[in-house]
Amino acid sequence: MAGDRWTDPVGFERMWGELAQVGRSARTGGYFRQPWTSADNELRAWFVGEAERRGLDVEIDGVGNVIAWWAPDGVTGPGVLTGSHLDSVRDGGAYDGPLGVVSALAAVDLLRERGFVPARPLGLSVFAEEEGSRFGRACLGSRLAVGALDWAAARELRDRQGVALPDALAGAGLDPGDIGPRADLAERIACFVELHVEQGRDLVDRGEPIGVASEIWPHGRYRFEFKGEANHAGTTRMEDRHDPMLTYAMTALAANKQARLAGQRATFGRVEAEPNGTNAVPSRVTAWLDARCDSDAALSDLVEVISRQAGERAERDGTAVEVSEESVTSAVSFDADLAARIAGDHEGGDWPVIPTQAGHDAGIIAAAGVPTAMLFVRNPTGVSHAPSEHAEMPDCLVGVSALADTLERLAGPS
Ligand code: GLV
Ligand code: MN
Ligand code: MN
């Protein structure tokens, strides 16, 4: 029973193979599974098909969050939920999200192989727009599902092409109606477990295939709008320019320096210039800061010092800068007892309990008051949000066994 390794990887490899080409770029080998576009819709349909072939009861809400329930007759009450997401960042890897979804399906197969029957409903979830790659709001689907984001605010969001969220949903055959999707997930579940590829090198350095999350660093996305004056790249004297690209460039350097000095993380990974011509000083540069820190106070201090330095530089450049928050997530500490139980629940010593700087639906659900845990599967290089993101198959299968053990404990008779 609990602790048995899953020695038949065929099911996992079949599922993994079925996902391999969906949303994949032939040029880079990376994935772009943008929410509510064909790749994402195909993956959602694939998950529904896998759930149905296992006889699970599938519910899909108006934004495309999917939960597939394994609830034998007479088994009711708050459920145990596990899952992750199927959308990706631009040119992302194969594992961030799908590993947790495929592992959840495989864990059900393994539990059935073991003869396990849940004593509480066991749900498998896929949350929509976890990466915030389309509408800029991280974990959009899970935030709506627990009421951490109002539909009234969400419905105003627009993507880079100006498409409003309700129109994107309609394009994917979804309809949240006027009041939005149901927002009572936190009341319907007793706990949530998300398995995820590790997005760093902690487990490799420790020589461990599996880790358990202790906390998620607070993190946020901030839009920096630099405004200057468009002009000719050749005839405008250097001293006569009001070049917002310079203000942006100095701000990017300041962000890197300040994050290093404070032992935190800051990245400008997205920038847009207008009119974006080679032979013109730009009129406007918009850039997005991603900042992550080990405390909420450190995050606001870091963003404040970067914003202040951007403002000072703008004065010197004769430009202007405006900063606005787009998506900010406070620190999350996972349930320490649950983490300790999972970490100690296997033969051969405890799995390490480690923090992460990456955001997850698990963080949103934990912040809504649901006891929540995360399992990480070792990533040999630590690379993530990039095509070379990877986990070795033997580690993935240890992950399936660890997840099955955890679910068996949580959803079994108490
Ligand atoms: C999600 O993966 C994030 O941390 O940006
Ligand atoms: Mn991610
Ligand atoms: Mn993820």
Side-chain angles (χ1 to χ4, degrees):
M1 295 295 284
D4 282 0
R5 285 286 169 84
W6 197 32
T7 51
D8 174 10
V10 172
F12 188 99
E13 284 179 351
R14 173 189 62 78
M15 290 190 277
W16 202 249
E18 285 171 3
L19 303 187
Q21 294 309 322
V22 183
R24 186 160 190 260
S25 157
R27 187 175 63 82
T28 66
Y31 292 87
F32 189 24
R33 294 159 168 173
Q34 192 176 29
W36 308 296
T37 62
S38 57
D40 185 54
N41 297 341
E42 188 180 333
L43 291 172
R44 193 180 313 105
W46 172 87
F47 176 73
V48 169
E50 288 294 318
E52 286 176 349
R53 59 190 263 171
R54 288 169 176 78
L56 309 181
D57 291 327
V58 175
E59 55 177 61
I60 307 179
D61 74 11
V63 297
N65 292 319
V66 188
I67 303 183
W69 291 105
W70 178 13
D73 282 350
V75 172
T76 56
V80 172
L81 196 64
T82 187
S84 193
H85 60 97
L86 291 171
D87 64 309
S88 78
V89 295
R90 287 163 190 264
D91 211 27
Y95 294 80
D96 178 354
L99 185 62
V101 175
V102 170
S103 298
L105 290 160
V108 165
D109 296 343
L110 177 55
L111 288 170
R112 287 178 171 174
E113 234 174 64
R114 292 178 180 173
F116 173 78
V117 178
R120 303 172 183 220
L122 178 54
L124 312 190
S125 56
V126 173
F127 291 106
E129 172 80 301
E130 190 269 356
E131 298 288 4
S133 69
R134 183 158 181 189
F135 287 93
R137 197 61 67 97
C139 301
L140 182 61
S142 56
R143 280 183 208 274
L144 287 165
V146 298
L149 174 65
D150 285 341
W151 177 243
R155 66 178 305 149
E156 301 303 321
L157 293 170
R158 288 180 185 271
D159 71 7
R160 295 182 193 196
Q161 274 66 49
V163 177
L165 178 59
D167 295 332
L169 297 172
L174 298 161
D175 177 13
D178 289 338
I179 55 166
R182 60 189 292 180
D184 59 352
L185 182 68
E187 286 97 70
R188 298 169 67 213
I189 57 175
C191 54
F192 179 62
V193 182
E194 180 169 359
L195 179 146
H196 205 280
V197 67
E198 198 203 0
Q199 297 172 289
R201 298 186 32 80
D202 212 337
L203 295 175
V204 172
D205 290 349
R206 293 168 188 261
E208 295 279 4
I210 302 292
V212 180
S214 56
E215 61 177 297
I216 298 181
W217 278 23
H219 51 284
R221 301 174 185 196
Y222 308 83
R223 178 187 171 105
F224 281 61
E225 194 86 46
F226 301 94
K227 290 183 200 155
E229 186 180 77
N231 214 331
H232 195 288
T235 58
T236 315
R237 291 186 189 132
M238 296 309 279
E239 61 273 26
D240 288 345
R241 298 173 182 221
H242 303 285
D243 184 348
M245 189 65 87
L246 283 186
T247 320
Y248 157 65
M250 290 308 299
T251 304
L253 293 174
N256 185 278
K257 182 171 175 185
Q258 293 304 325
R260 282 170 182 271
L261 287 173
Q264 315 291 359
R265 313 268 159 92
T267 309
F268 277 98
R270 177 182 169 197
V271 58
E272 290 171 3
E274 281 175 43
N276 210 19
T278 307
N279 54 355
V281 174
S283 58
R284 178 191 296 251
V285 172
T286 309
W288 282 262
L289 170 70
D290 178 308
R292 308 188 186 219
C293 295
D294 57 9
S295 72
D296 290 308
L299 180 62
S300 45
D301 286 353
L302 180 62
V303 175
E304 193 189 309
V305 71
I306 296 169
S307 304
R308 181 162 35 77
Q309 294 196 352
E312 288 165 5
R313 179 70 200 195
E315 259 178 45
R316 292 213 293 284
D317 291 337
T319 58
V321 57
E322 268 172 41
V323 182
S324 49
E325 278 182 17
E326 285 204 341
S327 178
V328 178
T329 309
S330 296
V332 169
S333 292
F334 289 111
D335 188 298
D337 288 344
L338 187 54
R341 261 194 292 149
I342 294 171
D345 190 21
H346 75 105
E347 289 162 19
D350 289 0
W351 304 125
V353 180
I354 54 176
T356 180
Q357 294 74 33
H360 299 284
D361 295 312
I364 303 302
I365 292 171
V370 176
T372 296
M374 289 195 75
L375 288 164
F376 294 127
V377 173
R378 173 166 55 192
N379 173 336
T381 61
V383 171
S384 187
H385 283 187
S388 60
E389 180 182 85
H390 187 66
E392 296 291 344
M393 187 57 70
D395 286 351
C396 294
L397 298 181
V398 177
V400 172
S401 296
L403 180 61
D405 293 349
T406 301
L407 298 175
E408 188 169 343
R409 180 78 40 112
L410 294 170
S414 34

